[in-house]
Amino acid sequence: MQPPDISESEWVVMEALWQGAPQTASEITKSLRPTTNWAENTVRTLLTRLVEKGALKTDENASGTRVFSPAVKRETCVGAESESFIQRVFRGASKPLLVHFAQNAQLTPEEVRELKRVLDQSLKNRS
């Protein structure tokens, strides 16, 4: 199954649910309000879209209130977003992405070592 195409605003809602689910629309609104200032109707609209896209599933809690939970894993959506980004910005080529990242990111020595370890492991896996 293809991961759902999630907009930037929908991603914010998904992050809240990946961090803790299930949640009601009111709970999500309360947790997002300090950073987004969204009204509950806005959150409900985003939740409806995410359910329609198959990104969320719904249930009822003990008091009969509708609750929302992710239907897809964060890692699945990150992978799809990463692939989409590489296709759009770097025409599908990973090397220019990595070069750009290495030249422009403020990596700590530990992060450089970890990146090198990951790349070395990638080479071993191809052998």
Side-chain angles (χ1 to χ4, degrees):
M1 180 180 124
Q2 185 77 359
D5 185 20
I6 298 173
S7 73
E8 191 171 335
S9 297
E10 292 165 347
W11 194 272
V12 172
V13 173
M14 291 299 295
E15 287 287 3
L17 286 162
W18 282 320
Q19 289 177 10
Q23 291 187 60
T24 65
S26 296
E27 291 168 335
I28 297 166
T29 302
K30 185 178 178 181
S31 73
L32 295 179
R33 186 164 282 137
T35 56
T36 64
N37 205 30
W38 289 340
E40 189 163 334
N41 282 344
T42 302
V43 173
R44 286 184 183 279
T45 298
L46 293 168
L47 289 167
T48 299
R49 288 181 193 162
L50 288 164
V51 169
E52 289 171 355
K53 290 179 178 186
L56 294 179
K57 56 187 175 186
T58 63
D59 204 352
E60 288 186 0
N61 63 15
S63 64
T65 304
R66 190 175 187 198
V67 292
F68 300 86
S69 299
V72 292
K73 293 183 179 183
R74 186 179 190 283
E75 296 77 22
T76 301
C77 291
V78 168
E81 285 293 317
S82 298
E83 182 62 31
S84 173
F85 176 77
I86 291 171
Q87 289 299 326
R88 279 191 332 271
V89 178
F90 294 98
R91 297 186 183 133
S94 298
K95 181 181 175 186
L97 167 69
L98 292 171
V99 169
H100 175 80
F101 177 73
Q103 290 174 338
N104 294 290
Q106 300 295 318
L107 299 173
T108 66
E110 178 57 34
E111 290 169 329
V112 170
R113 283 190 291 277
E114 177 65 12
L115 183 57
K116 183 179 181 327
R117 185 192 65 73
V118 169
L119 291 171
D120 288 344
Q121 186 64 44
S122 177
L123 283 175
K124 286 180 187 175
N125 291 342
R126 291 177 189 246
S127 301

